[in-house]
Amino acid sequence: MQEKPTNIDEYKKWLKEKHKIEITDRTQMRYDSVTAKIKQDYEKSNFWVKMNENLRQYDQEYLLTTGYPLLIPNFEPKLYIKPFKSFLLKTFRKNIIDNKRYPNQPKGGWILPDNWFSRINDILRTLFVVKYLDGVEFMKNKIESLCKQHGMKFKCFLEAREEGYYAAHLYSRHRCEIPKETWDTEMIDISVEIQVTTQLQEVIRALLHKYYEERREGAKEKGLKWQWDYKSDEFITNYLGHILHYVEGMIMEIREKQKEKKI
Amino acid sequence: MRKEFVEYLNSIGVTKILQERIATIYEHFEQICPDEITDIFVTDYIKQDESREYEYLCFFSEKYFMDAKQFVAEDDFSINPIKKRLYALNIKKKDYDFKKATEKSRLFLHWYVDIGVGVEITLKASKENCDYLRDITLKYVVPNLEE
């Protein structure tokens, strides 16, 4: 029996042997071509145009309610395409590392080139950065409302991970026309990830991004739990995430107390 | 930009605005390509509403192949030598006799460039653009296949 792949090179070999799929420049070229088309269509969508138009209005509404700005000055959301390397890594995690049924297919089936644009939910993502903790839920509610207005299917989560990661994640579904490898096109449903986080969390996310990417490339090592391994990078970075979240909660409390005093 | 390049772009329906963008990319390649740039090609496909979508912009010289991927929105440029370095040419076609393209014609080309590692190149064309891709194939790809 074939051994379980433990890194990306073994995963590529597994794809070739088990599914007759070879990951080459051609795979990446098609990925680049399809994702560029998805981004282009999304940028032109009524939902995205309206979202950008509404941002100042949301900011003013929050300001009137709380006395503080919602967004960082001159904030404009940008759309990011997941790099092919990260995308392939994610399929590795879903097919192998996080697949509790391995060697059988994960729930929903194997994630392979004929379905992977629909199955990976953050090929295209955007990030809204708010100044205060309560701005996360405020912004999340606004995005949900806009999704409903545009008749879009969506799912929303307030993420609070053991690893000290805090943000709102909203996944909206879009119908997209993408180029086939040879000619013409096909219609598929894709998910776009909308993240909402605070300015402080964003600072730490930017610092830790490279570290998380490296960690995700390999299967999890069994051994001392990170919570006890005080010399590890994980210990410092993950607890920094939790501490920041706590500090942001404290800032909110101070802000609310000040408001009560004024009343 | 050369007059025949503009004529080609007009013939496949590239708008004036997009032609301006192509002209700036052409100037960029003119600066870096050691040879004179002798041909242009734009890959395209037809959407379900029958409109045309452009993907890659390519230029050719006697010794080099240049491309700008997703050139409408991105600045992602490559240049590769082609002189006797191409191999494994794969051609797929639909409703095309390699003579005169029709509205239904589609052409797809894939080959490797040997530069120590194999770099893959994919070009696709639809409708009248198939005739241009055929000419490119016969002028630059077939003569440069490794023996």
Side-chain angles (χ1 to χ4, degrees):
Chain A
M1 197 178 78
Q2 203 173 14
E3 281 191 27
K4 186 175 180 175
T6 57
N7 59 47
I8 199 75
D9 291 329
E10 288 175 15
Y11 175 58
K12 285 180 187 174
K13 202 175 159 195
W14 175 85
L15 279 172
K16 193 175 176 181
E17 286 170 7
K18 183 167 173 65
H19 298 285
K20 310 281 180 280
I21 290 163
E22 203 166 353
I23 303 298
T24 65
D25 289 352
R26 191 169 172 172
T27 322
Q28 179 161 357
M29 280 167 76
R30 172 151 163 77
Y31 178 82
D32 291 343
S33 177
V34 168
T35 51
K37 176 68 169 51
I38 290 171
K39 182 176 179 231
Q40 191 185 319
D41 284 0
Y42 192 79
E43 276 170 338
K44 288 183 202 159
S45 70
N46 293 337
F47 170 79
W48 186 248
V49 171
K50 191 70 183 165
M51 169 66 74
N52 279 275
E53 282 174 12
N54 284 359
L55 274 182
R56 298 300 140 227
Q57 189 189 313
Y58 298 156
D59 196 52
Q60 284 165 16
E61 196 181 318
Y62 181 87
L63 182 67
L64 285 172
T65 316
T66 65
Y68 295 91
L70 172 69
L71 302 161
I72 55 173
N74 303 316
F75 174 77
E76 281 179 21
K78 289 191 174 72
L79 288 167
Y80 301 94
I81 294 172
K82 197 176 195 70
F84 181 70
K85 190 183 166 194
S86 308
F87 172 79
L88 191 64
L89 201 57
K90 188 155 187 176
T91 68
F92 170 42
R93 288 205 309 275
K94 288 193 171 283
N95 280 331
I96 311 290
I97 297 177
D98 300 338
N99 175 13
K100 292 188 174 75
R101 304 177 183 193
Y102 188 88
N104 296 318
Q105 60 186 12
K107 197 179 170 188
W110 295 115
I111 299 173
L112 298 172
D114 63 350
N115 64 18
W116 64 15
F117 292 111
S118 290
R119 296 281 304 279
I120 298 297
N121 61 8
D122 61 349
I123 289 173
L124 190 63
R125 67 176 176 85
T126 186
L127 173 67
F128 289 87
V129 181
V130 296
K131 286 184 79 80
Y132 296 97
L133 196 60
D134 66 338
V136 173
E137 195 166 4
F138 178 90
M139 194 65 211
K140 175 187 89 76
N141 292 340
K142 292 294 179 193
I143 301 168
E144 278 181 347
S145 167
L146 200 61
C147 282
K148 282 176 192 163
Q149 280 173 35
H150 286 81
M152 288 157 54
K153 286 182 184 169
F154 66 92
K155 282 180 183 170
C156 193
F157 310 94
L158 276 173
E159 296 269 7
R161 295 183 195 161
E162 193 184 77
E163 293 88 359
Y165 176 86
Y166 294 90
H169 282 202
L170 190 141
Y171 298 91
S172 61
R173 295 293 280 178
H174 291 261
R175 192 97 179 122
C176 245
E177 186 176 359
I178 61 163
K180 287 182 184 171
E181 190 177 19
T182 49
W183 46 70
D184 302 333
T185 62
E186 61 185 315
M187 300 300 290
I188 60 162
D189 286 320
I190 58 117
S191 281
V192 176
E193 183 184 80
I194 301 172
Q195 299 177 0
V196 186
T197 194
T198 61
Q199 197 173 2
L200 274 179
Q201 285 285 345
E202 174 51 14
V203 171
I204 190 98
R205 277 154 58 106
L207 283 171
L208 304 183
H209 182 73
K210 192 176 180 297
Y211 161 70
Y212 279 122
E213 281 292 299
E214 283 168 6
R215 198 168 65 100
R216 283 169 169 179
E217 282 187 33
K220 281 173 194 165
E221 286 170 22
K222 283 177 186 169
L224 194 60
K225 278 188 168 184
W226 67 262
Q227 288 92 335
W228 290 96
D229 189 8
Y230 62 89
K231 284 183 180 172
S232 71
D233 288 338
E234 269 180 308
F235 184 90
I236 300 161
T237 53
N238 293 354
Y239 276 122
L240 199 50
H242 287 299
I243 291 166
L244 273 182
H245 189 67
Y246 174 73
V247 169
E248 291 199 282
M250 296 297 288
I251 290 170
M252 285 307 305
E253 203 174 320
I254 293 164
R255 212 182 76 180
E256 278 160 21
K257 276 180 183 165
Q258 282 178 342
K259 195 178 172 184
E260 280 166 17
K261 276 180 191 171
K262 279 178 191 172
I263 295 167
Chain B
M1 200 157 56
R2 293 166 70 137
K3 190 182 154 209
E4 57 270 34
F5 290 4
V6 176
E7 284 170 359
Y8 162 69
L9 296 172
N10 285 332
S11 75
I12 60 161
V14 176
T15 61
K16 295 288 172 202
I17 292 170
L18 212 48
Q19 286 189 30
E20 283 171 21
R21 164 83 178 143
I22 290 171
T24 62
I25 298 171
Y26 172 70
E27 281 170 21
H28 166 75
F29 278 124
E30 246 190 336
Q31 288 174 343
I32 59 170
C33 181
D35 288 350
E36 182 193 358
I37 296 174
T38 46
D39 266 297
I40 185 173
F41 182 75
V42 179
T43 73
D44 75 314
Y45 61 87
I46 304 297
K47 293 196 292 183
Q48 291 176 9
D49 64 0
E50 293 298 314
S51 64
R52 197 169 215 153
E53 198 76 29
Y54 306 102
E55 281 187 308
Y56 295 177
L57 168 65
C58 313
F59 291 105
F60 293 84
S61 75
E62 190 194 341
K63 293 178 187 165
Y64 295 94
F65 167 77
M66 292 145 269
D67 70 343
K69 295 172 188 71
Q70 317 303 336
F71 71 97
V72 177
E74 304 286 329
D75 285 325
D76 183 358
F77 307 135
S78 305
I79 178 166
N80 280 300
I82 54 172
K83 203 75 181 167
K84 294 291 174 195
R85 285 172 185 263
L86 311 186
Y87 64 99
L89 171 64
N90 173 234
I91 300 173
K92 289 190 174 86
K93 62 188 181 74
K94 184 177 149 194
D95 296 317
Y96 187 47
D97 58 7
F98 239 64
K99 289 175 187 163
K100 182 72 185 160
T102 68
E103 285 288 296
K104 288 182 176 176
S105 297
R106 305 285 185 266
L107 183 59
F108 172 87
L109 247 66
H110 176 261
W111 72 82
Y112 290 85
V113 186
D114 181 4
I115 52 164
V117 292
V119 173
E120 292 181 72
I121 308 287
T122 297
L123 299 182
K124 56 170 99 170
S126 51
K127 301 185 178 182
E128 68 277 40
N129 206 17
C130 294
D131 288 340
Y132 292 103
L133 184 53
R134 174 204 59 205
D135 293 346
I136 292 287
T137 312
L138 298 175
K139 191 172 172 184
Y140 298 98
V141 183
V142 175
N144 283 311
L145 289 171
E146 281 178 348
E147 288 169 7

